[in-house]
Amino acid sequence: DAKTTQPTSMDCAEGRAANLPCNHSTISGNEYVYWYRQIHSQGPQYIIHGLKNNETNEMASLIITEDRKSSTLILPHATLRDTAVYYCIVRVVNQFYFGTGTSLTVIP
Amino acid sequence: DAGVIQSPRHEVTEMGQEVTLRCKPISGHNSLFWYRQTMMRGLELLIYFNNNVPIDDSGMPEDRFSAKMPNASFSTLKIQPSEPRDSAVYFCASSPSGSYQPQHFGDGTRLSIL
């Protein structure tokens, strides 16, 4: 049901770029890709979303492949506060299927 | 700006009791969503409203669960009677109208049924 596949966990050194991959090979032409993160005991936090073009905001960059079957979330300079579970989501109508996400640990 | 506000933040009650969770969406947002998160099942959508009207409640686990949205600034999720397996974190989210708009989540209600 999740429609996306992500690695279970990743580590990243503090100050380095964190690149989180996501596969969504069954995505339809009008479905957006969304990224959220969840820090323990808090609600999911919206990061970024895109359709086919690369997107950048103050938090991150989103790179979507030309065939739209995969994407990468980039946190350019990871800090300890970026340690969280990151969810890649393909929206189906109004439903977000969160899947299990990637647990990112930023190491000092 | 105020985000999505949920209350209470924590609720502990005995099985059989009625539980009411409350949500105030972000002002101007037309869609409201209720989710439940458990270790076993992750984040699951229970129900969502558009312009105060329930659109899809297929995720509501059973008749013990009900949700209402009497106006654009308030929604409730009620469990009656509650059971220990209902213990979870319940999140409310809201979004502006438009199928591509992101949802913004509250900090959740941690519910424990003893």
Side-chain angles (χ1 to χ4, degrees):
Chain A
D1 289 331
K3 299 191 68 172
T4 62
T5 304
Q6 299 176 253
T8 303
S9 63
M10 293 180 63
D11 294 337
C12 177
E14 186 179 17
R16 304 296 293 269
N19 297 294
L20 292 90
C22 179
N23 287 324
H24 31 79
S25 58
T26 61
I27 193 170
S28 299
N30 60 349
E31 290 177 336
Y32 282 73
V33 179
Y34 297 77
W35 283 84
Y36 282 74
R37 71 181 181 184
Q38 188 173 24
I39 297 169
H40 181 63
S41 81
Q42 297 181 18
Q45 179 189 22
Y46 165 73
I47 301 173
I48 198 166
H49 73 286
L51 181 63
K52 60 177 102 174
N53 298 321
N54 298 337
E55 302 287 344
T56 295
N57 63 20
E58 66 278 5
M59 291 182 68
S61 294
L62 173 61
I63 308 298
I64 303 174
T65 57
E66 192 168 341
D67 63 8
R68 302 210 325 121
K69 294 184 177 182
S70 65
S71 60
T72 301
L73 179 75
I74 300 172
L75 308 178
H77 305 286
T79 71
L80 300 180
R81 286 179 292 183
D82 292 322
T83 292
V85 177
Y86 287 77
Y87 295 98
C88 168
I89 302 157
V90 172
R91 184 174 188 161
V92 178
V93 189
N94 258 326
Q95 299 212 19
F96 280 3
Y97 294 100
F98 273 79
T100 54
T102 296
S103 178
L104 175 70
T105 301
V106 180
I107 302 170
Chain B
D1 290 339
V4 174
I5 299 172
Q6 293 187 244
S7 64
R9 289 297 312 276
H10 303 273
E11 175 87 14
V12 181
T13 191
E14 293 185 348
M15 67 177 293
Q17 297 297 307
E18 178 178 290
V19 174
T20 300
L21 311 181
R22 297 172 176 81
C23 175
K24 177 179 170 58
I26 294 172
S27 178
H29 283 191
N30 301 93
S31 298
L32 183 139
F33 308 81
W34 282 100
Y35 289 84
R36 177 173 67 177
Q37 186 173 35
T38 61
M39 290 292 292
M40 291 295 294
R41 301 175 66 86
L43 264 163
E44 303 173 283
L45 178 67
L46 300 178
I47 186 172
Y48 76 90
F49 296 82
N50 196 40
N51 293 322
N52 311 338
V53 176
I55 303 300
D56 185 350
D57 65 355
S58 59
M60 297 285 263
E62 47 197 273
D63 291 345
R64 297 184 298 106
F65 285 69
S66 62
K68 294 183 179 179
M69 192 164 185
N71 57 61
S73 60
F74 184 65
S75 177
T76 59
L77 178 67
K78 188 173 294 186
I79 308 172
Q80 168 62 21
S82 58
E83 297 182 3
R85 60 190 168 128
D86 302 331
S87 299
V89 182
Y90 291 80
F91 290 103
C92 176
S94 69
S95 73
S97 58
S99 59
Y100 63 92
Q101 294 285 355
Q103 298 175 17
H104 298 271
F105 286 74
D107 281 334
T109 295
R110 185 173 297 274
L111 177 64
S112 296
I113 308 298
L114 306 178

